[in-house]
PDB file of all heavy atoms in Angstrom:
ATOM      1  N   ARG A 152       3.171  10.465  -8.456  1.00 91.00           N
ATOM      2  CA  ARG A 152       3.927  10.393  -9.718  1.00 91.00           C
ATOM      3  C   ARG A 152       5.120  11.339  -9.697  1.00 91.00           C
ATOM      4  O   ARG A 152       6.180  11.036 -10.244  1.00 91.00           O
ATOM      5  CB  ARG A 152       3.001  10.713 -10.885  1.00 91.00           C
ATOM      6  CG  ARG A 152       3.614  10.409 -12.221  1.00 91.00           C
ATOM      7  CD  ARG A 152       2.594  10.482 -13.309  1.00 91.00           C
ATOM      8  NE  ARG A 152       3.231  10.079 -14.550  1.00 91.00           N
ATOM      9  CZ  ARG A 152       2.647  10.047 -15.699  1.00 91.00           C
ATOM     10  NH1 ARG A 152       1.381  10.386 -15.795  1.00 91.00           N
ATOM     11  NH2 ARG A 152       3.286   9.673 -16.778  1.00 91.00           N
ATOM     12  N   LYS A 153       4.965  12.474  -9.025  1.00 87.00           N
ATOM     13  CA  LYS A 153       6.063  13.433  -8.918  1.00 87.00           C
ATOM     14  C   LYS A 153       7.183  12.915  -8.022  1.00 87.00           C
ATOM     15  O   LYS A 153       8.340  13.251  -8.222  1.00 87.00           O
ATOM     16  CB  LYS A 153       5.547  14.768  -8.381  1.00 87.00           C
ATOM     17  CG  LYS A 153       4.679  15.510  -9.355  1.00 87.00           C
ATOM     18  CD  LYS A 153       4.141  16.785  -8.750  1.00 87.00           C
ATOM     19  CE  LYS A 153       3.158  17.446  -9.696  1.00 87.00           C
ATOM     20  NZ  LYS A 153       2.515  18.617  -9.078  1.00 87.00           N
ATOM     21  N   SER A 154       6.846  12.102  -7.024  1.00 77.00           N
ATOM     22  CA  SER A 154       7.852  11.596  -6.084  1.00 77.00           C
ATOM     23  C   SER A 154       8.252  10.158  -6.397  1.00 77.00           C
ATOM     24  O   SER A 154       8.653   9.418  -5.521  1.00 77.00           O
ATOM     25  CB  SER A 154       7.307  11.673  -4.656  1.00 77.00           C
ATOM     26  OG  SER A 154       6.213  10.800  -4.507  1.00 77.00           O
ATOM     27  N   ARG A 155       8.180   9.780  -7.633  1.00 64.00           N
ATOM     28  CA  ARG A 155       8.376   8.384  -8.012  1.00 64.00           C
ATOM     29  C   ARG A 155       9.805   7.879  -7.858  1.00 64.00           C
ATOM     30  O   ARG A 155      10.038   6.686  -7.894  1.00 64.00           O
ATOM     31  CB  ARG A 155       7.899   8.162  -9.435  1.00 64.00           C
ATOM     32  CG  ARG A 155       8.726   8.880 -10.473  1.00 64.00           C
ATOM     33  CD  ARG A 155       8.192   8.570 -11.867  1.00 64.00           C
ATOM     34  NE  ARG A 155       8.973   9.248 -12.852  1.00 64.00           N
ATOM     35  CZ  ARG A 155       8.513  10.147 -13.680  1.00 64.00           C
ATOM     36  NH1 ARG A 155       7.257  10.474 -13.650  1.00 64.00           N
ATOM     37  NH2 ARG A 155       9.297  10.719 -14.553  1.00 64.00           N
ATOM     38  N   SER A 156      10.776   8.765  -7.694  1.00 75.00           N
ATOM     39  CA  SER A 156      12.160   8.291  -7.615  1.00 75.00           C
ATOM     40  C   SER A 156      12.373   7.356  -6.426  1.00 75.00           C
ATOM     41  O   SER A 156      13.141   6.409  -6.518  1.00 75.00           O
ATOM     42  CB  SER A 156      13.121   9.473  -7.534  1.00 75.00           C
ATOM     43  OG  SER A 156      12.850  10.233  -6.373  1.00 75.00           O
ATOM     44  N   SER A 157      11.695   7.599  -5.317  1.00 84.00           N
ATOM     45  CA  SER A 157      11.875   6.747  -4.145  1.00 84.00           C
ATOM     46  C   SER A 157      10.722   5.757  -3.952  1.00 84.00           C
ATOM     47  O   SER A 157      10.800   4.883  -3.099  1.00 84.00           O
ATOM     48  CB  SER A 157      12.005   7.614  -2.894  1.00 84.00           C
ATOM     49  OG  SER A 157      10.813   8.340  -2.693  1.00 84.00           O
ATOM     50  N   LEU A 158       9.691   5.877  -4.732  1.00 91.00           N
ATOM     51  CA  LEU A 158       8.500   5.049  -4.569  1.00 91.00           C
ATOM     52  C   LEU A 158       8.691   3.674  -5.222  1.00 91.00           C
ATOM     53  O   LEU A 158       9.162   3.571  -6.344  1.00 91.00           O
ATOM     54  CB  LEU A 158       7.302   5.762  -5.205  1.00 91.00           C
ATOM     55  CG  LEU A 158       5.923   5.201  -4.927  1.00 91.00           C
ATOM     56  CD1 LEU A 158       5.601   5.276  -3.439  1.00 91.00           C
ATOM     57  CD2 LEU A 158       4.886   5.985  -5.710  1.00 91.00           C
ATOM     58  N   ARG A 159       8.327   2.621  -4.482  1.00 94.00           N
ATOM     59  CA  ARG A 159       8.474   1.268  -5.024  1.00 94.00           C
ATOM     60  C   ARG A 159       7.139   0.577  -5.278  1.00 94.00           C
ATOM     61  O   ARG A 159       7.057  -0.333  -6.087  1.00 94.00           O
ATOM     62  CB  ARG A 159       9.332   0.430  -4.096  1.00 94.00           C
ATOM     63  CG  ARG A 159      10.702   1.077  -3.912  1.00 94.00           C
ATOM     64  CD  ARG A 159      11.784   0.189  -3.486  1.00 94.00           C
ATOM     65  NE  ARG A 159      11.682  -1.177  -3.864  1.00 94.00           N
ATOM     66  CZ  ARG A 159      12.486  -1.781  -4.721  1.00 94.00           C
ATOM     67  NH1 ARG A 159      13.414  -1.110  -5.322  1.00 94.00           N
ATOM     68  NH2 ARG A 159      12.355  -3.065  -4.965  1.00 94.00           N
ATOM     69  N   ALA A 160       6.077   0.999  -4.571  1.00 96.00           N
ATOM     70  CA  ALA A 160       4.760   0.388  -4.750  1.00 96.00           C
ATOM     71  C   ALA A 160       3.697   1.271  -4.102  1.00 96.00           C
ATOM     72  O   ALA A 160       4.007   2.125  -3.274  1.00 96.00           O
ATOM     73  CB  ALA A 160       4.711  -1.006  -4.139  1.00 96.00           C
ATOM     74  N   VAL A 161       2.452   1.031  -4.504  1.00 97.00           N
ATOM     75  CA  VAL A 161       1.306   1.733  -3.932  1.00 97.00           C
ATOM     76  C   VAL A 161       0.294   0.692  -3.474  1.00 97.00           C
ATOM     77  O   VAL A 161      -0.024  -0.235  -4.224  1.00 97.00           O
ATOM     78  CB  VAL A 161       0.643   2.684  -4.967  1.00 97.00           C
ATOM     79  CG1 VAL A 161      -0.631   3.304  -4.405  1.00 97.00           C
ATOM     80  CG2 VAL A 161       1.617   3.761  -5.420  1.00 97.00           C
ATOM     81  N   ILE A 162      -0.194   0.860  -2.253  1.00 98.00           N
ATOM     82  CA  ILE A 162      -1.272   0.034  -1.723  1.00 98.00           C
ATOM     83  C   ILE A 162      -2.505   0.927  -1.667  1.00 98.00           C
ATOM     84  O   ILE A 162      -2.518   1.940  -0.966  1.00 98.00           O
ATOM     85  CB  ILE A 162      -0.951  -0.488  -0.298  1.00 98.00           C
ATOM     86  CG1 ILE A 162       0.389  -1.212  -0.256  1.00 98.00           C
ATOM     87  CG2 ILE A 162      -2.100  -1.339   0.225  1.00 98.00           C
ATOM     88  CD1 ILE A 162       0.433  -2.499  -1.044  1.00 98.00           C
ATOM     89  N   LEU A 163      -3.522   0.581  -2.418  1.00 98.00           N
ATOM     90  CA  LEU A 163      -4.758   1.359  -2.506  1.00 98.00           C
ATOM     91  C   LEU A 163      -5.828   0.615  -1.717  1.00 98.00           C
ATOM     92  O   LEU A 163      -6.123  -0.547  -2.008  1.00 98.00           O
ATOM     93  CB  LEU A 163      -5.159   1.497  -3.974  1.00 98.00           C
ATOM     94  CG  LEU A 163      -6.339   2.370  -4.341  1.00 98.00           C
ATOM     95  CD1 LEU A 163      -6.134   3.801  -3.877  1.00 98.00           C
ATOM     96  CD2 LEU A 163      -6.544   2.343  -5.847  1.00 98.00           C
ATOM     97  N   ARG A 164      -6.399   1.276  -0.703  1.00 98.00           N
ATOM     98  CA  ARG A 164      -7.342   0.593   0.181  1.00 98.00           C
ATOM     99  C   ARG A 164      -8.462   1.526   0.616  1.00 98.00           C
ATOM    100  O   ARG A 164      -8.360   2.737   0.475  1.00 98.00           O
ATOM    101  CB  ARG A 164      -6.606   0.061   1.409  1.00 98.00           C
ATOM    102  CG  ARG A 164      -5.945   1.163   2.201  1.00 98.00           C
ATOM    103  CD  ARG A 164      -5.033   0.626   3.253  1.00 98.00           C
ATOM    104  NE  ARG A 164      -4.395   1.743   3.965  1.00 98.00           N
ATOM    105  CZ  ARG A 164      -3.559   1.584   4.952  1.00 98.00           C
ATOM    106  NH1 ARG A 164      -3.234   0.375   5.348  1.00 98.00           N
ATOM    107  NH2 ARG A 164      -3.033   2.619   5.553  1.00 98.00           N
ATOM    108  N   GLY A 165      -9.511   0.942   1.152  1.00 98.00           N
ATOM    109  CA  GLY A 165     -10.637   1.709   1.653  1.00 98.00           C
ATOM    110  C   GLY A 165     -10.707   1.638   3.160  1.00 98.00           C
ATOM    111  O   GLY A 165     -10.497   0.578   3.750  1.00 98.00           O
ATOM    112  N   GLU A 166     -11.005   2.745   3.785  1.00 97.00           N
ATOM    113  CA  GLU A 166     -11.179   2.781   5.232  1.00 97.00           C
ATOM    114  C   GLU A 166     -12.586   2.303   5.585  1.00 97.00           C
ATOM    115  O   GLU A 166     -13.539   2.586   4.863  1.00 97.00           O
ATOM    116  CB  GLU A 166     -10.980   4.226   5.711  1.00 97.00           C
ATOM    117  CG  GLU A 166     -11.066   4.440   7.194  1.00 97.00           C
ATOM    118  CD  GLU A 166     -10.841   5.890   7.548  1.00 97.00           C
ATOM    119  OE1 GLU A 166      -9.872   6.493   7.043  1.00 97.00           O
ATOM    120  OE2 GLU A 166     -11.658   6.424   8.315  1.00 97.00           O
ATOM    121  N   GLY A 167     -12.707   1.585   6.668  1.00 97.00           N
ATOM    122  CA  GLY A 167     -14.027   1.149   7.112  1.00 97.00           C
ATOM    123  C   GLY A 167     -14.461  -0.172   6.515  1.00 97.00           C
ATOM    124  O   GLY A 167     -13.635  -0.991   6.132  1.00 97.00           O
ATOM    125  N   PRO A 168     -15.781  -0.379   6.404  1.00 97.00           N
ATOM    126  CA  PRO A 168     -16.307  -1.692   6.030  1.00 97.00           C
ATOM    127  C   PRO A 168     -16.209  -2.053   4.547  1.00 97.00           C
ATOM    128  O   PRO A 168     -16.473  -3.190   4.185  1.00 97.00           O
ATOM    129  CB  PRO A 168     -17.770  -1.629   6.462  1.00 97.00           C
ATOM    130  CG  PRO A 168     -18.110  -0.177   6.385  1.00 97.00           C
ATOM    131  CD  PRO A 168     -16.846   0.550   6.775  1.00 97.00           C
ATOM    132  N   SER A 169     -15.842  -1.119   3.673  1.00 97.00           N
ATOM    133  CA  SER A 169     -15.831  -1.403   2.230  1.00 97.00           C
ATOM    134  C   SER A 169     -14.669  -0.720   1.532  1.00 97.00           C
ATOM    135  O   SER A 169     -14.213   0.342   1.958  1.00 97.00           O
ATOM    136  CB  SER A 169     -17.127  -0.920   1.579  1.00 97.00           C
ATOM    137  OG  SER A 169     -18.232  -1.596   2.100  1.00 97.00           O
ATOM    138  N   PHE A 170     -14.258  -1.312   0.409  1.00 98.00           N
ATOM    139  CA  PHE A 170     -13.252  -0.664  -0.430  1.00 98.00           C
ATOM    140  C   PHE A 170     -13.863   0.577  -1.085  1.00 98.00           C
ATOM    141  O   PHE A 170     -13.403   1.683  -0.883  1.00 98.00           O
ATOM    142  CB  PHE A 170     -12.727  -1.628  -1.498  1.00 98.00           C
ATOM    143  CG  PHE A 170     -11.803  -0.972  -2.483  1.00 98.00           C
ATOM    144  CD1 PHE A 170     -10.521  -0.617  -2.103  1.00 98.00           C
ATOM    145  CD2 PHE A 170     -12.214  -0.699  -3.769  1.00 98.00           C
ATOM    146  CE1 PHE A 170      -9.660   0.012  -2.990  1.00 98.00           C
ATOM    147  CE2 PHE A 170     -11.364  -0.077  -4.676  1.00 98.00           C
ATOM    148  CZ  PHE A 170     -10.084   0.274  -4.280  1.00 98.00           C
ATOM    149  N   CYS A 171     -14.913   0.383  -1.885  1.00 97.00           N
ATOM    150  CA  CYS A 171     -15.590   1.510  -2.539  1.00 97.00           C
ATOM    151  C   CYS A 171     -16.912   1.021  -3.117  1.00 97.00           C
ATOM    152  O   CYS A 171     -16.927   0.118  -3.946  1.00 97.00           O
ATOM    153  CB  CYS A 171     -14.726   2.097  -3.641  1.00 97.00           C
ATOM    154  SG  CYS A 171     -15.488   3.485  -4.501  1.00 97.00           S
ATOM    155  N   SER A 172     -17.990   1.637  -2.692  1.00 96.00           N
ATOM    156  CA  SER A 172     -19.321   1.200  -3.126  1.00 96.00           C
ATOM    157  C   SER A 172     -19.760   1.833  -4.446  1.00 96.00           C
ATOM    158  O   SER A 172     -20.914   1.707  -4.831  1.00 96.00           O
ATOM    159  CB  SER A 172     -20.352   1.500  -2.041  1.00 96.00           C
ATOM    160  OG  SER A 172     -20.411   2.891  -1.802  1.00 96.00           O
ATOM    161  N   GLY A 173     -18.844   2.507  -5.137  1.00 95.00           N
ATOM    162  CA  GLY A 173     -19.186   3.098  -6.423  1.00 95.00           C
ATOM    163  C   GLY A 173     -19.691   4.527  -6.285  1.00 95.00           C
ATOM    164  O   GLY A 173     -19.470   5.183  -5.270  1.00 95.00           O
ATOM    165  N   LEU A 174     -20.355   4.998  -7.294  1.00 94.00           N
ATOM    166  CA  LEU A 174     -20.832   6.377  -7.356  1.00 94.00           C
ATOM    167  C   LEU A 174     -21.854   6.655  -6.256  1.00 94.00           C
ATOM    168  O   LEU A 174     -22.803   5.893  -6.067  1.00 94.00           O
ATOM    169  CB  LEU A 174     -21.458   6.637  -8.733  1.00 94.00           C
ATOM    170  CG  LEU A 174     -21.898   8.059  -9.028  1.00 94.00           C
ATOM    171  CD1 LEU A 174     -20.699   8.993  -9.072  1.00 94.00           C
ATOM    172  CD2 LEU A 174     -22.631   8.105 -10.357  1.00 94.00           C
ATOM    173  N   ASP A 175     -21.670   7.754  -5.548  1.00 94.00           N
ATOM    174  CA  ASP A 175     -22.629   8.206  -4.539  1.00 94.00           C
ATOM    175  C   ASP A 175     -23.687   9.032  -5.268  1.00 94.00           C
ATOM    176  O   ASP A 175     -23.567  10.249  -5.399  1.00 94.00           O
ATOM    177  CB  ASP A 175     -21.915   9.020  -3.468  1.00 94.00           C
ATOM    178  CG  ASP A 175     -22.844   9.504  -2.373  1.00 94.00           C
ATOM    179  OD1 ASP A 175     -24.063   9.215  -2.447  1.00 94.00           O
ATOM    180  OD2 ASP A 175     -22.363  10.175  -1.452  1.00 94.00           O
ATOM    181  N   VAL A 176     -24.703   8.356  -5.741  1.00 91.00           N
ATOM    182  CA  VAL A 176     -25.735   8.988  -6.581  1.00 91.00           C
ATOM    183  C   VAL A 176     -26.434  10.145  -5.872  1.00 91.00           C
ATOM    184  O   VAL A 176     -26.613  11.211  -6.479  1.00 91.00           O
ATOM    185  CB  VAL A 176     -26.737   7.923  -7.098  1.00 91.00           C
ATOM    186  CG1 VAL A 176     -27.863   8.567  -7.878  1.00 91.00           C
ATOM    187  CG2 VAL A 176     -26.008   6.906  -7.966  1.00 91.00           C
ATOM    188  N   PRO A 177     -26.850  10.020  -4.610  1.00 93.00           N
ATOM    189  CA  PRO A 177     -27.518  11.152  -3.961  1.00 93.00           C
ATOM    190  C   PRO A 177     -26.672  12.427  -3.926  1.00 93.00           C
ATOM    191  O   PRO A 177     -27.188  13.525  -4.082  1.00 93.00           O
ATOM    192  CB  PRO A 177     -27.806  10.645  -2.544  1.00 93.00           C
ATOM    193  CG  PRO A 177     -27.884   9.171  -2.682  1.00 93.00           C
ATOM    194  CD  PRO A 177     -26.875   8.830  -3.745  1.00 93.00           C
ATOM    195  N   SER A 178     -25.362  12.296  -3.741  1.00 88.00           N
ATOM    196  CA  SER A 178     -24.522  13.503  -3.720  1.00 88.00           C
ATOM    197  C   SER A 178     -24.478  14.166  -5.091  1.00 88.00           C
ATOM    198  O   SER A 178     -24.374  15.385  -5.188  1.00 88.00           O
ATOM    199  CB  SER A 178     -23.110  13.181  -3.234  1.00 88.00           C
ATOM    200  OG  SER A 178     -22.340  12.590  -4.250  1.00 88.00           O
ATOM    201  N   PHE A 179     -24.564  13.375  -6.158  1.00 82.00           N
ATOM    202  CA  PHE A 179     -24.560  13.965  -7.486  1.00 82.00           C
ATOM    203  C   PHE A 179     -25.882  14.636  -7.826  1.00 82.00           C
ATOM    204  O   PHE A 179     -25.901  15.671  -8.473  1.00 82.00           O
ATOM    205  CB  PHE A 179     -24.201  12.909  -8.538  1.00 82.00           C
ATOM    206  CG  PHE A 179     -22.730  12.715  -8.637  1.00 82.00           C
ATOM    207  CD1 PHE A 179     -22.100  11.744  -7.884  1.00 82.00           C
ATOM    208  CD2 PHE A 179     -21.959  13.519  -9.441  1.00 82.00           C
ATOM    209  CE1 PHE A 179     -20.745  11.573  -7.930  1.00 82.00           C
ATOM    210  CE2 PHE A 179     -20.594  13.372  -9.504  1.00 82.00           C
ATOM    211  CZ  PHE A 179     -19.982  12.396  -8.749  1.00 82.00           C
ATOM    212  N   PHE A 180     -26.970  14.062  -7.380  1.00 82.00           N
ATOM    213  CA  PHE A 180     -28.263  14.709  -7.621  1.00 82.00           C
ATOM    214  C   PHE A 180     -28.383  16.018  -6.846  1.00 82.00           C
ATOM    215  O   PHE A 180     -29.102  16.911  -7.258  1.00 82.00           O
ATOM    216  CB  PHE A 180     -29.418  13.776  -7.267  1.00 82.00           C
ATOM    217  CG  PHE A 180     -29.646  12.695  -8.287  1.00 82.00           C
ATOM    218  CD1 PHE A 180     -29.868  11.392  -7.893  1.00 82.00           C
ATOM    219  CD2 PHE A 180     -29.632  12.975  -9.645  1.00 82.00           C
ATOM    220  CE1 PHE A 180     -30.082  10.391  -8.823  1.00 82.00           C
ATOM    221  CE2 PHE A 180     -29.829  11.990 -10.592  1.00 82.00           C
ATOM    222  CZ  PHE A 180     -30.057  10.695 -10.181  1.00 82.00           C
ATOM    223  N   SER A 181     -27.660  16.119  -5.727  1.00 89.00           N
ATOM    224  CA  SER A 181     -27.715  17.355  -4.946  1.00 89.00           C
ATOM    225  C   SER A 181     -26.824  18.447  -5.526  1.00 89.00           C
ATOM    226  O   SER A 181     -26.964  19.612  -5.149  1.00 89.00           O
ATOM    227  CB  SER A 181     -27.338  17.087  -3.495  1.00 89.00           C
ATOM    228  OG  SER A 181     -25.971  16.755  -3.392  1.00 89.00           O
ATOM    229  N   GLN A 182     -25.898  18.107  -6.429  1.00 83.00           N
ATOM    230  CA  GLN A 182     -24.991  19.069  -7.056  1.00 83.00           C
ATOM    231  C   GLN A 182     -24.919  18.814  -8.562  1.00 83.00           C
ATOM    232  O   GLN A 182     -23.907  18.326  -9.067  1.00 83.00           O
ATOM    233  CB  GLN A 182     -23.597  18.963  -6.446  1.00 83.00           C
ATOM    234  CG  GLN A 182     -23.564  19.228  -4.964  1.00 83.00           C
ATOM    235  CD  GLN A 182     -22.190  18.983  -4.390  1.00 83.00           C
ATOM    236  OE1 GLN A 182     -21.425  18.160  -4.882  1.00 83.00           O
ATOM    237  NE2 GLN A 182     -21.852  19.700  -3.338  1.00 83.00           N
ATOM    238  N   PRO A 183     -25.965  19.141  -9.306  1.00 82.00           N
ATOM    239  CA  PRO A 183     -25.991  18.789 -10.731  1.00 82.00           C
ATOM    240  C   PRO A 183     -24.872  19.428 -11.556  1.00 82.00           C
ATOM    241  O   PRO A 183     -24.406  18.828 -12.517  1.00 82.00           O
ATOM    242  CB  PRO A 183     -27.363  19.255 -11.199  1.00 82.00           C
ATOM    243  CG  PRO A 183     -27.878  20.151 -10.143  1.00 82.00           C
ATOM    244  CD  PRO A 183     -27.177  19.822  -8.879  1.00 82.00           C
ATOM    245  N   GLY A 184     -24.403  20.606 -11.181  1.00 82.00           N
ATOM    246  CA  GLY A 184     -23.316  21.244 -11.923  1.00 82.00           C
ATOM    247  C   GLY A 184     -22.030  20.442 -11.846  1.00 82.00           C
ATOM    248  O   GLY A 184     -21.342  20.229 -12.842  1.00 82.00           O
ATOM    249  N   LYS A 185     -21.707  19.972 -10.655  1.00 81.00           N
ATOM    250  CA  LYS A 185     -20.502  19.162 -10.483  1.00 81.00           C
ATOM    251  C   LYS A 185     -20.672  17.802 -11.144  1.00 81.00           C
ATOM    252  O   LYS A 185     -19.724  17.255 -11.693  1.00 81.00           O
ATOM    253  CB  LYS A 185     -20.169  18.994  -9.003  1.00 81.00           C
ATOM    254  CG  LYS A 185     -19.583  20.240  -8.394  1.00 81.00           C
ATOM    255  CD  LYS A 185     -19.161  19.999  -6.970  1.00 81.00           C
ATOM    256  CE  LYS A 185     -18.511  21.240  -6.395  1.00 81.00           C
ATOM    257  NZ  LYS A 185     -18.100  21.053  -4.999  1.00 81.00           N
ATOM    258  N   ALA A 186     -21.876  17.259 -11.079  1.00 79.00           N
ATOM    259  CA  ALA A 186     -22.127  15.961 -11.710  1.00 79.00           C
ATOM    260  C   ALA A 186     -21.855  16.037 -13.207  1.00 79.00           C
ATOM    261  O   ALA A 186     -21.254  15.129 -13.782  1.00 79.00           O
ATOM    262  CB  ALA A 186     -23.557  15.519 -11.446  1.00 79.00           C
ATOM    263  N   LEU A 187     -22.278  17.105 -13.836  1.00 81.00           N
ATOM    264  CA  LEU A 187     -22.036  17.275 -15.263  1.00 81.00           C
ATOM    265  C   LEU A 187     -20.550  17.411 -15.554  1.00 81.00           C
ATOM    266  O   LEU A 187     -20.034  16.810 -16.505  1.00 81.00           O
ATOM    267  CB  LEU A 187     -22.797  18.497 -15.781  1.00 81.00           C
ATOM    268  CG  LEU A 187     -22.694  18.785 -17.264  1.00 81.00           C
ATOM    269  CD1 LEU A 187     -23.252  17.620 -18.073  1.00 81.00           C
ATOM    270  CD2 LEU A 187     -23.427  20.061 -17.611  1.00 81.00           C
ATOM    271  N   ARG A 188     -19.822  18.156 -14.713  1.00 84.00           N
ATOM    272  CA  ARG A 188     -18.383  18.349 -14.915  1.00 84.00           C
ATOM    273  C   ARG A 188     -17.595  17.049 -14.784  1.00 84.00           C
ATOM    274  O   ARG A 188     -16.543  16.896 -15.423  1.00 84.00           O
ATOM    275  CB  ARG A 188     -17.846  19.376 -13.922  1.00 84.00           C
ATOM    276  CG  ARG A 188     -18.310  20.781 -14.246  1.00 84.00           C
ATOM    277  CD  ARG A 188     -17.931  21.794 -13.201  1.00 84.00           C
ATOM    278  NE  ARG A 188     -16.532  21.746 -12.836  1.00 84.00           N
ATOM    279  CZ  ARG A 188     -16.061  22.307 -11.721  1.00 84.00           C
ATOM    280  NH1 ARG A 188     -16.849  22.936 -10.899  1.00 84.00           N
ATOM    281  NH2 ARG A 188     -14.782  22.227 -11.452  1.00 84.00           N
ATOM    282  N   ILE A 189     -18.071  16.108 -13.991  1.00 85.00           N
ATOM    283  CA  ILE A 189     -17.376  14.833 -13.811  1.00 85.00           C
ATOM    284  C   ILE A 189     -17.263  14.069 -15.131  1.00 85.00           C
ATOM    285  O   ILE A 189     -16.269  13.423 -15.404  1.00 85.00           O
ATOM    286  CB  ILE A 189     -18.124  13.950 -12.773  1.00 85.00           C
ATOM    287  CG1 ILE A 189     -17.967  14.514 -11.382  1.00 85.00           C
ATOM    288  CG2 ILE A 189     -17.682  12.503 -12.822  1.00 85.00           C
ATOM    289  CD1 ILE A 189     -16.633  14.272 -10.735  1.00 85.00           C
ATOM    290  N   PHE A 190     -18.296  14.160 -15.957  1.00 82.00           N
ATOM    291  CA  PHE A 190     -18.370  13.324 -17.153  1.00 82.00           C
ATOM    292  C   PHE A 190     -17.998  14.042 -18.449  1.00 82.00           C
ATOM    293  O   PHE A 190     -18.055  13.441 -19.516  1.00 82.00           O
ATOM    294  CB  PHE A 190     -19.767  12.711 -17.255  1.00 82.00           C
ATOM    295  CG  PHE A 190     -20.088  11.843 -16.069  1.00 82.00           C
ATOM    296  CD1 PHE A 190     -20.986  12.260 -15.110  1.00 82.00           C
ATOM    297  CD2 PHE A 190     -19.447  10.626 -15.893  1.00 82.00           C
ATOM    298  CE1 PHE A 190     -21.264  11.463 -14.001  1.00 82.00           C
ATOM    299  CE2 PHE A 190     -19.708   9.829 -14.783  1.00 82.00           C
ATOM    300  CZ  PHE A 190     -20.619  10.253 -13.837  1.00 82.00           C
ATOM    301  N   LEU A 191     -17.582  15.304 -18.384  1.00 83.00           N
ATOM    302  CA  LEU A 191     -17.163  16.040 -19.573  1.00 83.00           C
ATOM    303  C   LEU A 191     -15.651  16.001 -19.724  1.00 83.00           C
ATOM    304  O   LEU A 191     -14.918  15.999 -18.739  1.00 83.00           O
ATOM    305  CB  LEU A 191     -17.626  17.498 -19.478  1.00 83.00           C
ATOM    306  CG  LEU A 191     -19.120  17.752 -19.539  1.00 83.00           C
ATOM    307  CD1 LEU A 191     -19.401  19.236 -19.371  1.00 83.00           C
ATOM    308  CD2 LEU A 191     -19.713  17.251 -20.842  1.00 83.00           C
ATOM    309  N   LYS A 192     -15.208  15.987 -20.967  1.00 82.00           N
ATOM    310  CA  LYS A 192     -13.773  16.068 -21.257  1.00 82.00           C
ATOM    311  C   LYS A 192     -13.470  17.515 -21.630  1.00 82.00           C
ATOM    312  O   LYS A 192     -14.237  18.158 -22.342  1.00 82.00           O
ATOM    313  CB  LYS A 192     -13.398  15.149 -22.403  1.00 82.00           C
ATOM    314  CG  LYS A 192     -13.569  13.692 -22.082  1.00 82.00           C
ATOM    315  CD  LYS A 192     -13.180  12.821 -23.246  1.00 82.00           C
ATOM    316  CE  LYS A 192     -13.498  11.376 -22.921  1.00 82.00           C
ATOM    317  NZ  LYS A 192     -13.252  10.490 -24.039  1.00 82.00           N
TER     318      LYS A 192
END
C-alpha cells in the first residue's frame, strides 16, 4: 500500500500443493496466548 504509485496489480498465491488450508488449529492450541490475540480487537 505504501508503494502503490508504481503498483498496477497483485497476484496472491500459495506455494506448494494448496492455496491455503485455513487455520492451523494445532499451532494455535500450542500457543494459547497468541491464539487469543488473533481474535481480539
Side-chain angles (χ1 to χ4, degrees):
R152 191 169 184 181
K153 290 177 186 174
S154 65
R155 67 179 180 242
S156 61
S157 63
L158 191 63
R159 302 202 28 113
V161 174
I162 306 294
L163 186 59
R164 60 190 179 179
E166 183 179 312
S169 298
F170 174 73
C171 180
S172 61
L174 185 65
D175 181 359
V176 176
S178 78
F179 278 92
F180 285 136
S181 69
Q182 300 175 331
K185 285 185 177 179
L187 182 61
R188 289 173 50 197
I189 289 284
F190 299 107
L191 293 178
K192 294 180 186 175

